[in-house]
């Protein structure tokens, strides 16, 4: 998750509950999140890996809320780092943003990549999803109240 976690916002609750459900059925779960707090366990008992760390991460994360371009660069960087971190492991990697999922998928062919979307993509994100749909190690989960 390339955004702040844990959080009381809807995306944080969704991620926490999904991780909890996976844990309950016997999976080992780790939530990767930028280092924005000192917590290592969330409100549901899920393990949090504060990742990635370092000067570049701090700089990109600092400006990602202020600039759309900086936010995209942060998502690309986060996806690349997560993909490289888990490239030698056969794991499920779940994402909530298209750019992180793309970069992680390109540098990690062993893991299954799952992208959760809540809005219909357009433009660049639509083209990225068309590319990812051709990959064997990619699945899309779409959650919406509307049926379009």
């Amino acid at each position: 998750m390339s955004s702040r976690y844990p959080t009381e916002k809807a995306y944080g609750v969704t991620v926490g509950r999904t991780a909890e459900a996976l844990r309950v059925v016997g999976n080992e779960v780790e939530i990767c999140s930028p280092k924005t707090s000192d917590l290592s366990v969330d409100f549901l008992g899920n393990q949090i890996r504060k990742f990635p760390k370092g000067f570049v991460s701090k700089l990109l994360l600092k400006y990602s809320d202020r600039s759309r371009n900086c936010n995209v660069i942060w998502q690309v960087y986060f996806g690349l780092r997560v993909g490289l971190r888990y490239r030698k492991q056969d794991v499920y990697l779940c994402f909530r943003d298209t750019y992180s999922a793309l970069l992680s998928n390109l540098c990690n062919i062993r893991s299954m990549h799952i992208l959760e979307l809540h809005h219909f993509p357009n433009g660049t994100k639509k083209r990225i999803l068309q590319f990812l749909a051709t990959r064997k190690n990619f699945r899309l989960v779409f959650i919406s109240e509307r049926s379009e």
Side-chain angles (χ1 to χ4, degrees):
M1 154 175 285
S2 61
S3 53
R4 183 173 59 95
Y5 188 85
T7 179
E8 66 285 346
K9 293 184 177 184
Y11 74 85
V13 174
T14 302
V15 168
R17 294 285 180 201
T18 302
E20 178 188 39
L22 289 168
R23 217 178 60 248
V24 166
V25 296
N27 294 292
E28 189 175 317
V29 176
E30 209 174 63
I31 298 172
C32 293
S33 174
K35 182 161 177 43
T36 56
S37 76
D38 291 328
L39 294 175
S40 60
V41 177
D42 72 5
F43 57 98
L44 295 166
N46 299 310
Q47 294 294 316
I48 304 170
R49 175 182 291 276
K50 296 302 180 182
F51 180 87
K53 300 173 184 169
F55 174 74
V56 174
S57 298
K58 288 178 187 175
L59 185 66
L60 287 173
L61 190 58
K62 178 179 178 180
Y63 292 103
S64 67
D65 289 339
R66 300 179 194 161
S67 160
R68 185 181 186 311
N69 291 338
C70 203
N71 188 38
V72 169
I73 293 168
W74 164 249
Q75 291 173 6
V76 165
Y77 179 72
F78 184 83
L80 181 64
R81 293 293 303 268
V82 169
L84 291 173
R85 162 69 175 84
Y86 293 97
R87 74 181 175 277
K88 295 185 180 185
Q89 300 174 23
D90 189 12
V91 297
Y92 286 89
L93 298 172
C94 301
F95 295 92
R96 293 182 51 88
D97 62 76
T98 308
Y99 298 110
S100 292
L102 172 66
L103 265 292
S104 180
N105 188 277
L106 289 175
C107 66
N108 181 335
I109 58 171
R110 292 189 65 178
S111 298
M112 175 59 74
H113 294 77
I114 302 165
L115 174 60
E116 176 187 324
L117 290 180
H118 295 265
H119 304 286
F120 288 99
N122 54 27
T124 304
K125 289 184 179 184
K126 186 175 183 178
R127 287 189 286 283
I128 290 171
L129 287 178
Q130 289 169 338
F131 167 75
L132 286 172
T134 66
R135 312 276 291 182
K136 291 181 181 180
N137 64 334
F138 176 78
R139 297 295 180 270
L140 175 65
V141 176
F142 189 78
I143 301 171
S144 176
E145 291 182 19
R146 299 178 294 163
S147 58
E148 293 181 28

